[in-house]
Amino acid sequence: MGVADGVTGALAGTAALVTGGNRGIGLAIARRLVEAGARVCVTGRDQGALEAAVEELGGGAVGAVGDVADDVDVARAVARAEALGPLEVVVNNAAAAGPTLPVHELPPDEFEAVLRTNLLGPFLVAHHALPRMIARGRGAIVNIGSIAGVEGYPLRSPYSSSKWGLVGFTRTLAGEVGQYGIRVNLVAPGPTEGERSTAVIRARAEALGQPFEELRARYEQQIPLRRFVDADEVASAVLFLATDASSGITGQSFCVSGGIEA
């Protein structure tokens, strides 16, 4: 799919940062931002996947290897993005899926590790990106949540807790920086075609002692559209929130879920 009507070239002359932009939803988002004219810095921990993503994205993209839960790595990634031009779009997409276990069997360090990536990470990115955005008086931050952050998700307490927390962070940050012309919103994907959803459903099937195909079919039957969404559909929502097409929207959460709601 091409760039949505009204946003072609809308980000020309600007820079964007997409964490976890080396595959899946993150890569789809980065691709859409490049199509809209932005020069994009994508981050990831896998050097090979990052290099492949940058090559696919073309001359408007660069990579920054690092961990979003590491303050030094984040500062370096933000600086690399700012070297491309005025950093006006930040997409906090990097996330850890975490384990599939009941709370009483879950090692505390695994719970903490998910929160560090999924909640501390977006904080660190915003912390480093905001000063220049504030100085320029404009910008858009889009956090990638999940429908697990708008409803309960048994056996996935670290992931669900982190995504619920990201909703609160989004709304709070929007209230802080709106006066500077900066908007902060959240996109919450539902089950999305790709390796991540397949791995999550497979782990859940194993934990419940159920066949993978039966559990996936049950997921699909719970979706009003009767299918998983795809990464490009999520990216379209992000692009809308990253441009002036959504200039009056901040502090909001949007489900791209095929109709699943809390």
Side-chain angles (χ1 to χ4, degrees):
M1 291 184 290
V3 178
D5 290 344
V7 294
T8 303
L11 298 176
T14 70
L17 174 66
V18 181
T19 67
N22 56 350
R23 56 168 58 93
I25 290 174
L27 180 55
I29 292 168
R31 187 183 303 118
R32 196 57 61 88
L33 296 176
V34 167
E35 290 174 356
R39 302 190 69 193
V40 181
C41 176
V42 292
T43 78
R45 292 184 294 182
D46 184 326
Q47 176 79 46
L50 195 62
E51 290 176 354
V54 169
E55 182 176 357
E56 176 185 333
L57 292 169
V62 299
V65 178
D67 185 344
V68 293
D70 184 291
D71 187 56
V72 173
D73 285 354
V74 171
R76 186 183 301 118
V78 170
R80 189 152 173 72
E82 288 177 336
L84 298 174
L87 180 58
E88 294 193 1
V89 178
V90 169
V91 182
N92 282 307
N93 168 74
T100 301
L101 288 169
V103 168
H104 65 281
E105 296 179 7
L106 181 64
D109 61 335
E110 293 190 29
F111 188 96
E112 181 181 5
V114 173
L115 264 62
R116 285 185 58 80
T117 297
N118 297 3
L119 203 49
L120 176 64
F123 161 79
L124 289 174
V125 173
H127 175 76
H128 286 287
L130 278 170
R132 292 193 184 182
M133 282 186 168
I134 290 171
R136 285 190 295 269
R138 63 180 286 111
I141 296 174
V142 184
N143 296 320
I144 305 303
S146 168
I147 58 166
V150 296
E151 61 183 13
Y153 199 1
L155 302 182
R156 299 294 307 286
S157 61
Y159 186 76
S160 183
S161 297
S162 69
K163 294 304 186 178
W164 275 94
L166 194 57
V167 172
F169 179 67
T170 297
R171 294 180 181 176
T172 299
L173 187 58
E176 289 183 4
V177 300
Q179 62 184 311
Y180 305 113
I182 300 166
R183 298 179 298 104
V184 188
N185 291 290
L186 180 143
V187 171
T192 306
E193 291 290 357
E195 296 178 2
R196 171 65 67 88
S197 285
T198 296
V200 167
I201 295 172
R202 193 174 302 283
R204 192 172 190 81
E206 292 175 359
L208 297 174
Q210 298 176 357
F212 167 80
E213 293 298 339
E214 287 185 12
L215 187 58
R216 180 186 164 101
R218 195 173 309 138
Y219 270 73
E220 291 175 339
Q221 287 302 308
Q222 294 171 351
I223 301 170
L225 290 182
R226 297 296 190 269
R227 66 171 178 84
F228 286 15
V229 299
D230 64 44
D232 282 337
E233 291 172 319
V234 178
S236 291
V238 173
L239 179 61
F240 169 69
L241 294 171
T243 69
D244 286 343
S246 59
S247 58
I249 301 174
T250 195
Q252 304 303 306
S253 300
F254 296 87
C255 289
V256 181
S257 62
I260 295 178
E261 298 180 357

